[in-house]
């Protein structure tokens, strides 16, 4: 895909050109509908919409990241990454996946921005050293991440931040955040930003968001963190297979005890499922094979802001992030001294008052009669 | 100790050219002097649950919420909060303190005196353990110094200091009683006898209203072979200083007892059938004078029960009518004399029925704590009695027995007020009536 | 960014430390104020010791005497219900035990969650009843101060937000969990400066009461 493709062609035409049968197309539409929790009655509407949709140009920017998000995406099964890249979108720029390199790669990005100004989508993974940080912390082709992001989103239709680094700053932004890392939504204020958080995010969610955009021609309904409600509307806890054990108060105490083997709740082992919003429990990973909590490990809450700084991974949700018994004792000691001082001074005053106390005399009493 | 300091101050009173007077400032200083660890713990703990009101006959029988015990303590609470807490001091800096004013104390005089007999029932039921009666006692110290004590109690205190008796009773009146007792019993009433076992104190109210008490103990002690004496130096056991709530007056009255006991070199002093006299001399006295006594103090009921237990009292015959008993607050709840009067009752009464709530949970007659010396509190005193009346009606006795002259007077007046023909007798007299005649 | 998760982390992090520090300083101030004032030496001959009756009263005052129970059954029963309910939920709900363990290293078995949720509901009803009682009973209305209503509101808020969080009735969940933790922290902060101090000082008060009466031969 070195040469930029025309995106004037409709998706339906593109699919027919590639020999995809009507039956195969409808199957894909049905899978997409079910993924987005849409009723089966919506399938024909999705099919009609996709048939007429034009493949958008997509520019994928990678900043301070570990490529885990891309790795996750390439392991997507339905729709597969081939489907995504070849059928649904025109991926015009992606460091890892594109064949072009060096100046040619950058030209591809500029070309796409020029040809599809106002229409292209920008997908970002990785956090960005903010405008006040040293621009040299992370550069691509001599451009600082910040400059490249701001330049690229300038004429974009929308921005999709993929992974917890792009959505919330992620690991780079964890304390003490040496690179001044910021999230896409911290920096991009004038374009719609859709966050697909997770470390990594569920691949089907990335494709699902794009399909939604193509199908309905608008951004999906988002939560307070700009995450699509269709995937982030419910907590891990609410859809967890171990939830009935929580409700019954049955908790695994260690990773290898009887409770853990029987599938009891991992709350005490630090599961962040109650406070985490993601679709792991319903969509699962590796083509629906399993997901962390089912595999016996507590949820880390990786799709939530500041999850690296939210206290120990193996501390229960109710445990303070930096509990310190010693600090409490020290505070108590300060209190004891302060209280003692007040009491001693009050007692001293009282004693002084007592030594000068005027006894009540009969005369004084008689004066009152 | 502070009490010692007090005692020293009394010997060298400072006198300005102008006569000194009781002022708010002196009152506040006195309130402050009463704040100690327990007071701080009590006020820190109050949750305004209102349970104390359910223990107060003055609230229960009037239904007026201003008589809620904890509310009566508001002046002391404010002094504590303002001067003894960090929070209060911070409030002071912010100008948010609630001050105790003369107007407030005027309003609270009725609450701290007229509507409280310091019966201590609220102290027994407070869920957080507040000893409210103790704090009422402490509050009165401040009230006296601020010049907000009721006239009736001031007059009684002045009379007690000046004449030796809150009722102005003189030895010569008692002398007449003594002669009467000697004539009717044929026994000698010992006076000013050194080295005997007991110094017997009396209360003026007994001498006037219930002269049979003196005759009863004369007979019982003769029967049991107890050596005892009265003292011309001091015969009065009651302490108006405790009731009005002033240490200076109270300490002077206690010192008189101590002096008399020391003069006669007695090892034991007997407090009469009077409630507050016993708590005054037994529990407050040594602290008022700032030193332990060289003698021990007993209530007459304690002495009689000891004589009974050691077989020195032999009785014959039983009272056959239905008798019930009123425990004086000061004796039962506030001094732990509960079983003794029951032992004695069982000795001479075969139809003794307990009031439902008795012993440490008994109900006050309404007259204690200086209420009966405070004329203007008469309507409240009678209102509070209705609680006792209801208790008595519940068991419907033919006679009531008690062992406190104030309670007895209140019971008699109250029962008469409500046209209930139930005579009230003193326990000591009843025991005396059943003594086996000596051969 | 100031979303619900940041709010939750703020309540679990800096705010928790602030609250627990103010609580520890304030409470020790109060206890030191009491203990340092002490009592004067008592010269009157004692009938019995002070310690045993004092310790007994610390326990026995938890239960009302039969007479008081008959005269104020509503006050007594509702008070018991919500105090016991609050303590059960506070001390026997697993997340609370995990919190206590993180601070003190001490832990104990939890009650099953359905029991906790039932107890919480009962506690909420009882707390509402205490408010109605406070506003309608002549004595309580007369002696109540603004503080009483503030403290009631804070305690009720703690239980209510906990209940809402347990049933996940407010979205997003971190918001309601954060509100619950914040309410508890406000309660901790207010504790040393309001009647909530009785949680600790009531036992000191009861000891003094039991000791004073016990010394005179009466178990109070």
């Amino acid at each position: 895909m070195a040469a930029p493709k025309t995106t004037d062609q409709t998706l339906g035409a593109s699919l027919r050109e590639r020999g995809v049968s009507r039956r195969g197309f409808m199957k894909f539409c049905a899978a997409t509908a079910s993924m987005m929790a849409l009723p089966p009655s919506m399938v024909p509407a999705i099919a009609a919409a996709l048939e007429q949709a034009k493949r958008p140009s997509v520019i994928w920017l990678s900043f301070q990241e570990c490529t885990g998000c891309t790795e996750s995406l390439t392991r997507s099964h339905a729709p597969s990454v081939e489907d995504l890249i070849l059928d649904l979108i025109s991926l015009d720029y992606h460091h890892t996946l594109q064949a072009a390199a060096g100046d040619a790669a950058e030209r591809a990005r500029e070309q796409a921005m020029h040809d599809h100004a106002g229409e292209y989508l920008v997908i970002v993974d990785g956090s960005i050293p903010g405008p006040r940080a040293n621009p040299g912390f992370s550069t691509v082709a001599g451009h600082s991440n910040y400059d490249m992001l701001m330049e690229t989103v300038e004429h974009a239709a929308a921005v999709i931040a993929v992974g917890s680094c792009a959505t919330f700053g992620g690991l780079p932004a964890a304390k003490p955040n040496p690179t001044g890392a910021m999230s896409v939504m911290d920096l991009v204020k004038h374009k719609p930003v859709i966050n697909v958080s997770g470390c990594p995010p569920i691949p089907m969610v990335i494709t699902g968001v794009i399909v939604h955009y193509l199908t309905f021609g608008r951004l999906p309904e988002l939560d307070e963190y700009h995450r699509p409600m269709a995937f982030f509307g419910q907590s891990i806890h609410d859809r967890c297979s171990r939830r009935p054990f929580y409700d019954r108060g049955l908790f695994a105490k260690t990773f290898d005890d009887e409770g853990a083997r029987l599938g009891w709740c991992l709350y005490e082992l630090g599961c962040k499922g109650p406070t985490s919003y993601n679709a792991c429990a319903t969509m699962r990973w590796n083509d629906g094979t399993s997901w962390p909590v089912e595999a016996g490990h507590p949820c880390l809450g990786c799709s939530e802001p500041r999850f690296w700084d939210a206290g120990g991974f193996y501390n229960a949700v109710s445990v303070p992030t930096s509990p310190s018994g010693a600090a409490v004792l020290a505070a108590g000691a300060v209190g004891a001294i302060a209280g003692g001082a007040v009491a001693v001074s009050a007692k001293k005053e009282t004693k002084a008052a007592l030594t000068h106390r005027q006894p009540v005399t009969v005369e004084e009493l008689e004066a009152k009669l | 100790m502070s009490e010692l300091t007090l005692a020293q101050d009394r010997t060298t009173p400072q006198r300005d050219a102008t006569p000194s007077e009781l002022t708010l400032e002196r009152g506040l200083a006195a309130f402050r002097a009463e704040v100690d660890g327990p007071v701080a713990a009590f006020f820190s703990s109050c949750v305004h649950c209102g349970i104390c009101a359910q223990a107060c006959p003055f609230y229960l029988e009037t239904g007026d919420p201003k008589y809620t015990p904890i509310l009566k303590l508001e002046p002391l609470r404010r002094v504590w909060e303002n001067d003894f807490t960090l929070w209060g001091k911070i409030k002071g800096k912010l100008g948010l303190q609630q001050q105790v004013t003369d107007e407030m104390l005027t309003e609270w005089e009725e609450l701290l005196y007229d509507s409280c007999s310091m019966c201590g029932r609220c102290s027994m039921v407070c869920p957080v353990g507040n000893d409210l009666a103790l704090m009422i006692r402490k509050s009165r110290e401040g009230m006296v110094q601020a010049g907000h004590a009721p006239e009736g109690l001031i007059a009684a205190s002045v009379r007690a200091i000046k004449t030796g008796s809150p009722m102005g009773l003189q030895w010569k009146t008692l002398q007449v009683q003594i002669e009467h007792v000697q004539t009717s019993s044929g026994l000698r009433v010992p006076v000013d006898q050194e080295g005997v076992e007991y110094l017997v104190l009396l209360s003026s109210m007994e001498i006037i209203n219930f002269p049979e008490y003196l005759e009863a103990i004369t007979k019982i002690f003769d029967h049991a072979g107890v050596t005892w004496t009265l003292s011309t130096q001091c015969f009065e056991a009651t302490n108006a200083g405790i009731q009005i709530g002033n240490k200076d007056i109270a300490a002077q009255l206690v010192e008189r007892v101590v002096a008399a006991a020391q003069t006669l070199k007695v090892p034991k002093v007997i407090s009469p059938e009077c409630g507050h006299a016993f708590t005054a001399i037994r529990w407050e006295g040594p602290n008022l004078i700032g030193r332990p006594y060289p003698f021990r103090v007993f209530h007459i009921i304690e002495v009689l029960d000891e004589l009974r237990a050691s077989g020195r009292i032999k009785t014959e015959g039983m009272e056959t009518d239905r008798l019930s008993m009123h425990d004086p607050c000061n004796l039962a709840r506030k001094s732990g004399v509960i079983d003794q009067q029951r032992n004695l009752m069982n000795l001479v009464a075969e139809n003794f029925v307990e009031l439902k709530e008795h012993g440490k949970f008994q109900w006050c007659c309404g007259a204690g704590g200086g209420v009966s010396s405070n004329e203007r509190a008469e309507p409240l005193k009678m209102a509070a009695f209705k609680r006792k009346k209801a208790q008595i009606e519940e068991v419907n006795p033919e006679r009531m027995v008690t062992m406190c002259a104030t309670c007895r007077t209140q019971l008699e007046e109250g029962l008469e007020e409500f046209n209930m023909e139930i005579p009230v007798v003193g326990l000591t007299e009843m025991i005396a009536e059943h003594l086996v005649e000596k051969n | 960014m100031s979303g619900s998760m940041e709010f939750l982390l703020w309540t679990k992090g800096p705010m928790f430390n602030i609250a627990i520090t103010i609580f520890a300083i304030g409470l020790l101030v109060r206890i030191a104020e009491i203990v340092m004032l002490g009592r004067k030496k008592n010269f009157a001959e004692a009938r019995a010791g002070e310690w045993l009756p004092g310790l007994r009263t610390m326990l026995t005052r938890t239960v009302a005497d039969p007479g008081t129970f008959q005269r104020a059954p509503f006050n007594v029963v509702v008070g018991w219900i919500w105090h016991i309910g609050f303590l059960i939920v506070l001390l026997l709900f697993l997340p609370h035990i995990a919190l206590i363990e993180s601070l003190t290293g001490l832990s104990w078995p939890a009650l099953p969650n359905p029991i906790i949720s039932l107890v919480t509901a009962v506690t909420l009803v009882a707390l509402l009843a205490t408010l109605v009682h406070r506003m309608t009973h002549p004595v309580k209305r007369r002696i109540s101060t603004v503080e009483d209503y503030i403290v009631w509101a804070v305690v009720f808020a703690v239980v209510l937000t906990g209940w809402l969080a347990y049933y996940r009735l407010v979205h997003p969940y971190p918001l309601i969990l954060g509100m619950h933790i914040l309410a508890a922290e406000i309660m901790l902060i207010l504790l040393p400066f309001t009647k909530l101090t009785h949680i600790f000082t009531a036992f000191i008060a009861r000891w003094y009461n039991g000791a004073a009466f016990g010394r005179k031969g009466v178990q109070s």
Side-chain angles (χ1 to χ4, degrees):
Chain A
M1 53 178 218
K5 287 188 176 181
T6 168
T7 55
D8 291 342
Q9 199 178 20
T10 65
L11 194 56
S14 157
L15 288 171
R16 275 187 295 279
E17 202 173 84
R18 291 187 56 245
V20 174
S21 68
R22 178 73 189 163
R23 184 185 164 85
F25 176 63
M26 291 309 287
K27 218 174 142 185
F28 170 78
C29 291
T32 307
S34 108
M35 183 177 72
M36 290 188 293
L38 295 171
S41 59
M42 285 295 287
V43 174
I46 293 171
L50 287 180
E51 177 76 29
Q52 293 306 314
K54 288 178 181 171
R55 296 162 65 220
S57 168
V58 171
I59 297 172
W60 185 302
L61 302 175
S62 297
F63 298 132
Q64 297 191 117
E65 46 87 41
C66 66
T67 318
C69 297
T70 298
E71 286 287 334
S72 171
L73 183 64
T74 57
R75 273 143 190 79
S76 176
H77 290 265
S80 72
V81 71
E82 296 85 29
D83 293 332
L84 177 73
I85 295 170
L86 300 175
D87 302 340
L88 298 180
I89 61 170
S90 167
L91 186 58
D92 292 331
Y93 180 82
H94 188 302
H95 296 167
T96 313
L97 299 179
Q98 73 190 143
D103 291 344
E106 290 307 303
R107 270 201 305 279
R109 177 174 68 92
E110 283 155 20
Q111 184 71 44
M113 286 165 64
H114 178 264
D115 291 352
H116 309 293
E119 291 170 1
Y120 62 89
L121 290 174
V122 177
I123 298 181
V124 182
D125 67 336
S127 65
I128 305 99
R132 279 190 291 277
N134 183 336
F137 281 152
S138 180
T139 62
V140 175
H143 300 287
S144 74
N145 288 173
Y146 177 73
D147 288 344
M148 184 179 277
L149 174 70
M150 297 319 270
E151 182 192 313
T152 309
V153 301
E154 182 67 37
H155 300 290
V159 185
I160 304 174
V162 165
S164 289
C165 296
T167 52
F168 300 125
L171 178 60
K175 282 173 192 164
N177 191 0
T179 62
M182 296 175 81
S183 69
V184 172
M185 69 176 164
D186 285 340
L187 299 170
V188 177
K189 300 293 184 192
H190 59 286
K191 293 283 173 191
V193 175
I194 307 164
N195 283 331
V196 181
S197 62
C199 187
I202 300 172
M204 287 178 290
V205 175
I206 303 174
T207 53
V209 169
I210 294 168
V211 169
H212 186 282
Y213 181 68
L214 291 178
T215 308
F216 299 106
R218 57 183 162 79
L219 299 178
E221 192 192 348
L222 304 178
D223 73 0
E224 60 166 334
Y225 288 116
H226 298 206
R227 298 179 297 196
M229 290 291 279
F231 305 104
F232 293 90
Q234 280 179 315
S235 72
I236 297 289
H237 186 67
D238 285 336
R239 307 306 296 265
C240 182
S241 56
R242 293 176 188 256
R243 175 64 185 272
F245 297 105
Y246 172 87
D247 291 335
R248 282 159 59 194
L250 297 173
F251 298 94
K253 305 285 174 187
T254 66
F255 284 106
D256 57 355
D257 69 3
E258 187 66 15
R261 275 190 283 275
L262 289 171
W264 290 2
C265 177
L266 303 175
Y267 186 96
E268 276 194 84
L269 293 170
C271 185
K272 303 298 183 293
T275 53
S276 301
Y277 287 81
N278 208 337
C280 304
T282 44
M283 303 182 81
R284 310 161 135 221
W285 291 74
N286 300 324
D287 202 13
T289 306
S290 184
W291 63 292
V293 171
E294 188 174 322
H297 192 280
C299 169
L300 301 183
C302 73
S303 57
E304 296 305 310
R306 288 179 55 200
F307 87 101
W308 287 99
D309 294 327
F313 284 159
Y314 302 101
N315 287 344
V317 167
S318 61
V319 171
T321 51
S322 53
S324 167
V328 174
L329 285 181
V334 170
I337 293 165
V342 172
V344 165
S345 85
K347 205 178 174 184
K348 234 177 175 175
E349 280 171 41
T350 305
K351 267 197 171 161
L354 270 177
T355 43
H356 300 108
R357 180 179 188 276
Q358 230 176 314
V360 171
T361 63
V362 174
E363 291 74 23
E364 285 167 347
L365 286 177
E366 275 186 308
K368 284 280 167 189
L369 286 175
Chain B
M1 286 284 99
S2 48
E3 284 86 355
L4 282 174
T5 329
L6 287 186
Q8 284 157 6
D9 278 356
R10 259 194 308 277
T11 56
T12 55
Q14 301 153 338
R15 277 290 140 80
D16 299 332
T18 53
S20 61
E21 54 178 355
L22 303 168
T23 60
L24 178 65
E25 286 65 39
R26 284 177 66 177
L28 292 175
F31 274 116
R32 273 196 287 277
E34 292 301 319
V35 175
D36 57 4
V39 169
F42 299 154
F43 284 130
S44 296
S45 303
C46 179
V47 294
H48 292 167
C49 71
I51 291 282
C52 51
Q54 303 298 332
C56 179
F58 293 89
Y59 161 71
L60 286 173
E61 297 305 329
T62 60
D64 190 334
K66 73 176 176 178
Y67 296 131
T68 303
I70 193 68
L71 194 64
K72 299 172 186 171
L73 297 166
E74 183 62 12
L76 183 61
R77 194 200 67 79
R78 288 189 184 182
V79 168
W80 161 76
E81 183 181 292
N82 292 350
D83 296 342
F84 291 85
T85 69
L86 183 62
W87 185 228
K89 291 193 184 238
I90 293 170
K91 275 187 178 171
K93 294 261 189 294
L94 301 172
L96 295 172
Q97 279 186 352
Q98 292 174 296
Q99 300 296 342
V100 175
T101 61
D102 246 322
E103 293 69 45
M104 180 191 190
L105 295 185
T106 306
E107 193 186 338
W108 253 258
E109 192 179 313
E110 186 211 3
L111 303 183
L112 279 163
Y113 286 100
D114 303 23
S115 67
C116 179
S117 59
M118 298 199 287
C119 77
R121 204 176 191 288
C122 46
S123 301
M124 291 296 289
V125 305
C126 172
V128 296
N130 289 352
D131 190 348
L132 296 115
L134 172 79
M135 294 195 283
I136 297 271
R137 167 69 186 86
K138 284 170 169 287
S139 296
R140 288 187 182 182
E141 288 286 335
M143 295 298 278
V144 173
Q145 289 265 14
H148 284 288
E151 267 185 33
L153 283 169
I154 292 177
S157 301
V158 171
R159 277 194 300 271
I161 292 292
K162 286 193 162 174
T163 69
S165 153
M167 302 173 103
L169 194 92
Q170 307 283 310
W171 175 262
K172 56 183 186 245
T173 314
L174 180 53
Q175 184 66 46
V176 174
Q177 287 282 352
I178 292 171
E179 276 154 25
H180 177 78
V181 167
Q182 293 188 145
T183 315
S184 93
S185 68
L187 300 168
R188 202 176 61 85
V189 175
V191 175
D192 288 339
Q193 292 233 324
E194 275 190 34
V196 293
E197 190 176 2
Y198 293 106
L199 167 64
V200 169
L201 300 174
L202 301 168
S203 76
S204 292
M205 189 180 280
E206 248 165 12
I207 297 166
I208 294 168
N209 289 355
F210 312 112
E212 49 281 28
Y213 171 78
L214 182 59
E215 184 168 348
I217 57 166
T218 307
K219 284 181 179 167
I220 294 169
F221 287 165
D222 174 70
H223 168 92
V226 169
T227 60
W228 64 289
T229 185
L230 292 173
S231 164
T232 50
Q233 195 180 342
C234 175
F235 63 86
E236 182 64 59
T238 64
N239 194 320
I242 295 291
Q243 297 191 316
I244 197 171
N246 178 259
K247 290 173 173 175
D248 311 298
I249 302 291
Q252 287 179 63
L253 298 174
V254 171
E255 290 282 18
R256 290 178 186 173
V257 174
V258 175
Q262 282 180 315
T263 307
L264 298 173
K265 302 184 182 66
V266 292
K268 297 172 185 171
V269 171
I270 299 180
S271 184
E273 283 197 349
C274 172
H276 91 267
F278 184 56
T279 49
I281 194 98
R282 174 70 176 83
W283 303 111
E284 281 212 45
N287 297 318
L288 288 165
I289 63 172
R291 60 183 194 274
Y293 292 147
F295 51 83
R296 300 183 69 200
V297 177
F298 299 92
H299 190 268
I300 181 66
I301 294 299
E302 288 180 282
V303 175
L304 295 184
D305 189 49
E306 213 175 280
L307 294 174
R308 175 202 63 80
S310 57
R312 293 169 72 184
I313 292 183
K314 303 232 173 354
T315 58
E316 57 186 3
M318 298 287 262
E319 300 289 333
T320 53
D321 55 346
R322 188 175 168 86
L323 297 179
S324 192
M325 182 167 64
H326 165 72
D327 284 304
C329 324
N330 276 301
L331 196 61
R333 179 158 49 240
K334 294 174 82 176
S335 297
V337 179
I338 294 170
D339 295 334
Q340 290 89 331
Q341 52 269 44
R342 288 169 173 76
N343 296 338
L344 293 168
M345 280 297 279
N346 290 330
L347 196 63
V348 295
E350 59 183 24
N351 196 2
F352 165 49
V353 53
E354 290 276 20
L355 296 179
K356 255 191 188 159
E357 287 177 288
H358 59 266
K360 66 182 182 183
F361 280 118
Q362 59 76 259
W363 285 95
C364 180
C365 64
V371 174
S372 63
S373 313
N374 179 1
E375 293 82 4
R376 68 162 190 236
E378 185 67 24
L380 272 171
K381 186 183 85 167
M382 270 305 142
F385 174 76
K386 285 193 279 182
R387 176 85 358 194
K388 194 83 233 172
K389 168 182 164 267
Q391 263 202 304
I392 295 171
E393 282 171 336
E394 229 173 358
V395 302
N396 195 26
E398 286 167 80
R399 279 187 298 164
M400 286 297 295
V401 180
T402 192
M403 50 237 79
C404 163
T406 302
C407 297
R408 188 172 169 184
T409 307
Q410 166 79 341
L411 289 175
E412 284 180 348
E413 286 177 9
L415 291 168
E416 192 185 315
E417 169 97 13
F418 293 103
N419 299 316
M420 292 165 72
E421 291 198 6
I422 301 175
V424 185
V425 289
L427 181 56
T428 307
E429 300 149 45
M430 210 163 82
I431 296 292
E433 280 165 21
H434 289 273
L435 293 175
V436 176
E437 293 288 335
K438 271 200 263 187
N439 298 328
Chain C
M1 283 199 299
S2 56
S4 58
M5 181 54 78
E6 285 86 352
F7 169 65
L8 172 62
L9 292 179
W10 175 73
T11 63
K12 282 172 66 176
M15 190 56 201
F16 178 80
N17 292 334
I18 291 169
I20 198 94
T21 305
I22 293 176
F23 162 73
I25 292 179
L27 181 64
L28 268 291
V29 164
R30 292 303 290 271
I31 291 175
E33 280 169 1
I34 293 168
V35 175
M36 293 298 292
L37 280 171
R39 288 179 300 169
K40 283 177 185 146
K41 183 171 164 53
N42 196 333
F43 293 103
E45 181 195 346
R47 273 196 210 281
E50 293 190 325
W51 275 102
L52 204 63
L55 293 173
R56 278 195 58 181
T57 299
M58 282 168 80
L59 289 178
T60 56
R61 227 21 109 79
T62 309
V63 179
D65 64 281
T68 299
F69 180 76
Q70 276 169 22
R71 271 178 294 280
F74 185 84
N75 211 346
V76 170
V77 170
V78 170
W80 273 343
I81 289 176
W82 90 256
H83 273 86
I84 292 170
F86 192 93
L87 283 174
I88 287 177
V89 174
L90 174 69
L91 298 176
L92 297 176
F93 183 44
L94 185 97
H96 299 161
I97 296 174
L99 165 64
I100 293 166
E101 189 181 7
S102 75
L103 286 174
T104 63
L106 303 173
S107 73
W108 47 83
L111 275 182
N113 290 356
I115 296 179
I116 296 290
S117 78
L118 178 72
V119 171
T120 310
V122 171
T123 305
L124 281 173
V125 174
L127 275 170
L128 283 172
T130 62
L131 179 66
V132 172
H133 196 241
R134 187 169 287 289
M135 295 194 306
T136 53
H137 191 279
V139 167
K140 277 186 145 176
R141 206 171 53 202
R142 177 69 182 78
I143 62 177
S144 293
T145 60
V146 177
E147 183 193 309
D148 290 312
Y149 293 102
I150 292 174
V151 167
W152 181 90
V154 170
V155 173
F156 188 77
V158 170
V159 184
L160 180 66
T161 53
W163 189 79
L164 290 173
Y166 177 78
Y167 283 104
R168 306 177 73 85
L169 293 174
V170 174
H171 292 284
Y173 177 75
L175 177 66
I176 188 65
L177 180 59
M179 282 165 63
H180 174 59
I181 296 173
L182 182 63
E185 284 161 355
I186 291 171
M187 187 170 157
L188 271 184
I189 291 171
L190 288 183
L191 194 150
F193 306 105
T194 59
K195 64 174 185 175
L196 287 168
T197 322
H198 83 277
I199 296 167
F200 297 91
T201 57
F203 295 96
I204 305 176
R206 286 179 183 182
W207 186 86
Y208 277 133
N209 185 309
F213 277 89
R215 198 176 188 283
K216 297 194 268 189
V218 181
Q219 179 60 55
S220 72

